[in-house]
Amino acid sequence: MPFDDHGHLVPGVLPAPLSVPRDIARPPYVGLQEPPAYTGDNTYTEDEIAKIRAAGRIASCALDAVGAAVAPGVTTAELDRIGHDAVVAAGAYPSTLGYRGYPASSCTSVNEVVCHGIPDNTVLREGDIVNVDITAYLDGFHGDTNRTFRVGEVSEDVDLLVERTHEAMMRGIKAAKPGREVNVIGRVIGTYAKRFGYGVIRDFTGHGVGSSFHTGLIIPHYDSAPRFNDLIVPGMVFTVEPMLTLGTHEWDMWADDWTVTTKDKSITAQFEHTIVVREDGFELLTVSE
Ligand code: MF3
Ligand code: CO
Ligand code: CO
């Protein structure tokens, strides 16, 4: 069902909704069509950063658990359940569940799916790649992270795409220094991706994150100057989450209004960290240690 005759993905069957214990606090948008407007800025106190780090650690540990389960024969719904269970066991809420009506605790984006793939009965095959994106909400703050996993052995061009997408994210993160504009992050990522002829997705971006899942601050992954000229300052928290493709940067949206694929069905990878900017660089807030 989930792959057509050409090996391209088609919508599958969604599992029964997962539940979250009543004693775990929900973010304010759950049950609403859209989140309440965010009025704060994108910088945080050390106490608040500690809370984002705690949420980010839970999301990262959940990705560790999901990654350990990735194998041929596993469904994306099974991966979602593993991530969900890890987040909930840590006392946190999986931020995507009920966000603007999104039905699952993670996004699982396979092969040509750029982002926001909904976990379903898609059975992963040797050679596929799957991005899993998990955000945890704990004590009023979100930590947002994703990784792309290889399913068994993948072809060399796909292997390199995954490797270089991670490298692109890290280069973008290292470019985030006080006194620069956020578009420097996109310039660095775009320049690196261009070396390999990769497409860089423009219309889905990094974002401010903290007490709100998406604060309104946009972090571009391509050279967008003079747009996105927000000044980077110490204490600022945002994600860097480039999506690179083996083909075009153009995309299509499925009828579910969530699943984004490359227009040419080329393979695409993504990595994401939440970071805080420091006087002399950055700190990753979505790590397991
Ligand atoms: N975690 C995604 C991000 O990096 C957002 C997913 S929103 C959802 O911004 F509703 F699609 F889950
Ligand atoms: Co994000
Ligand atoms: Co994310």
Side-chain angles (χ1 to χ4, degrees), residues 114-246:
V114 172
C115 60
H116 305 166
I118 300 173
D120 62 13
N121 63 337
T122 301
V123 179
L124 296 173
R125 311 162 304 180
E126 176 99 18
D128 290 335
I129 56 173
V130 57
N131 177 279
V132 181
D133 191 336
I134 297 183
T135 307
Y137 176 78
L138 182 74
D139 206 6
F141 291 86
H142 300 268
D144 184 7
T145 183
N146 77 51
R147 298 179 207 155
T148 297
F149 301 105
R150 301 161 176 87
V151 184
E153 288 269 310
V154 305
S155 67
E156 190 186 7
D157 56 340
V158 171
D159 186 61
L160 286 171
L161 174 71
V162 173
E163 187 61 39
R164 290 164 176 166
T165 303
H166 183 268
E167 175 69 16
M169 173 189 66
M170 289 311 303
R171 287 180 181 229
I173 289 171
K174 287 171 184 158
K177 294 200 171 154
R180 299 176 173 176
E181 297 178 355
V182 298
N183 58 30
V184 72
I185 296 166
R187 191 169 321 127
V188 163
I189 291 170
T191 300
Y192 178 70
K194 200 172 174 186
R195 276 207 223 164
F196 311 105
Y198 294 155
V200 181
I201 300 292
R202 301 178 171 204
D203 299 337
F204 298 86
T205 65
H207 52 93
V209 62
S211 47
S212 173
F213 192 174
H214 298 97
T215 65
L217 171 69
I218 287 176
I219 307 296
H221 302 123
Y222 65 101
D223 188 354
S224 56
R227 296 178 70 210
F228 308 120
N229 60 351
D230 304 78
L231 203 60
I232 299 172
V233 296
M236 205 169 182
V237 175
F238 53 78
T239 74
V240 178
E241 48 179 306
M243 289 142 270
L244 271 45
T245 87
L246 290 179

Side-chain angles (χ1 to χ4, degrees), residues 60-146:
S60 178
C61 290
L63 284 184
D64 293 343
V66 171
V70 170
V74 173
T75 68
T76 52
E78 286 163 354
L79 297 181
D80 185 58
R81 171 172 280 284
I82 291 165
H84 174 93
D85 287 348
V87 169
V88 164
Y93 184 91
S95 305
T96 59
L97 187 63
Y99 179 75
R100 298 181 184 273
Y102 188 80
S105 297
S106 58
C107 300
T108 54
S109 303
V110 177
N111 295 349
E112 71 268 24
V113 178
V114 172
C115 60
H116 305 166
I118 300 173
D120 62 13
N121 63 337
T122 301
V123 179
L124 296 173
R125 311 162 304 180
E126 176 99 18
D128 290 335
I129 56 173
V130 57
N131 177 279
V132 181
D133 191 336
I134 297 183
T135 307
Y137 176 78
L138 182 74
D139 206 6
F141 291 86
H142 300 268
D144 184 7
T145 183
N146 77 51

